[in-house]
Structures are given as C-alpha cells and as structure tokens.
Amino acid sequence: MITVRRITLSDPLYAQECALRETVLLNPIGLDVPKFKALFPGVEERFEHFVAVFAHPSGPRVIGCATLLADYPDSGTGKLMQMAVDLQRQGEGIGTRLVVAVERRAFGELGLHSLFCHARDTAYGFYTSLGWAFDSDTFSEAGVPHRRMTFQPGPIEAGEPEPSVPQD
C-alpha cells in the first residue's frame, strides 16, 4: 500500500526524501541537498514536505516526494518544487497523488489562490494532464530546459464532491 503524507525535517523519512531528490533531481545537475540548501538559504526549512510511502515488509520506503513553498513569491501564491518519483515506480500514478496532496493543502487548507512550478521539458505532458497550463516560453534552469506552469482551481459546483487522493 502507498500513502501520501506531509512530513517535517525531523521525521525519520526525511533522509529518504533527500536521497530520492538527490538521485532523481539534484545529482544529475551536480547538486545534492547540502548544496541546494547553500544556494537557497532557509528554503528547505520553509518547504512543506510531502512523501509517497510504500509499506515495505522491511519498513516504510519513500518512493515519491514533492515540496510546497507557500506564499511565494507573494501572499496567496505557492510554488511546487522538488517533485520526484523513484525511477522504477514512475507511471504508477504516484506523481499524480503527490500533486493532488499539494493542491489540497495549498487551496483547501492554506487558502492559496494559485500554484506554479518550473517543469522540466520531460514533465510538460504530466502537468498538462492534471490541468496545469504553460505560463512561459522555454528557459534554462540548472542547464535543463524548463517552462513555468500554473494551476488555479475552478469553482466547485454545488453538489460536486471534493477531489480526493486516489487510493490503492
């Protein structure tokens, strides 16, 4: 079974989250979490950390992660960052579950009005399939092509159920 939840920096799963971010996102561009922290002082501590956890017989395993930087760059806006899914588990809906959890927190609990991310060129289709829209031309970030993508929730019609995180 896979669950998605928020963790803090003191959670025992935080080390696994960092290792996954390094493997999928940071090491390929010559970074690791300490270098990320040095480049962006205080951001790691401001992030809300979300992890997808697989209940493995030998103990919980982080197989996906995403972070939310709320009220950035201004009040009411948030940035989805550091989204990663274990390379062997991609295509299973784990990324979708993480984005839904971030959206639920941002819009339902924090009252943000919009989210944005800098999507790698390999992730454009994933985000557009979730209703995100392009907000920029292609730009280079850390030597990788990206585009800014945004999401604003539409109004929920009367009688329409709230969206929920898919269950296994």
Side-chain angles (χ1 to χ4, degrees):
M1 171 177 238
I2 298 170
T3 58
V4 174
R5 64 185 179 101
R6 261 186 315 138
I7 63 169
T8 64
L9 301 181
S10 62
D11 192 294
L13 295 175
Y14 176 68
Q16 289 187 48
E17 176 203 352
C18 289
L20 179 63
R21 287 167 52 198
E22 287 178 340
T23 299
V24 176
L25 301 172
L26 298 173
N27 291 162
I29 59 170
L31 294 177
D32 56 20
V33 171
K35 288 178 185 174
F36 177 86
K37 288 179 177 182
L39 286 171
F40 304 100
V43 171
E44 187 75 14
E45 295 75 19
R46 283 190 56 210
F47 279 152
E48 293 203 20
H49 297 260
F50 295 80
V51 292
V53 182
F54 175 66
H56 192 273
S58 65
R61 299 245 173 102
V62 173
I63 57 172
C65 62
T67 61
L68 170 63
L69 188 55
D71 292 319
Y72 177 86
D74 50 61
S75 181
T77 302
K79 185 174 185 183
L80 171 67
M81 297 179 66
Q82 299 289 294
M83 169 97 170
V85 174
D86 183 295
L87 298 173
Q88 296 179 347
R89 302 299 302 259
Q90 291 181 359
E92 296 180 21
I94 296 163
T96 299
R97 291 177 64 180
L98 285 161
V99 171
V100 168
V102 168
E103 290 172 353
R104 175 180 289 124
R105 174 73 176 148
F107 303 122
E109 297 173 17
L110 299 177
L112 301 181
H113 56 77
S114 65
L115 285 174
F116 76 98
C117 71
H118 292 176
R120 291 181 178 203
D121 60 347
T122 56
Y124 298 163
F126 168 72
Y127 287 105
T128 56
S129 74
L130 298 177
W132 289 60
F134 292 110
D135 192 325
S136 76
D137 291 328
T138 302
F139 59 90
S140 181
E141 187 170 84
V144 178
H146 285 74
R147 285 180 76 179
R148 179 181 150 109
M149 299 191 78
T150 61
F151 183 81
Q152 294 178 321
I156 295 180
E157 300 295 325
E160 183 178 321
E162 292 281 338
S164 63
V165 175
Q167 301 298 313
D168 288 332

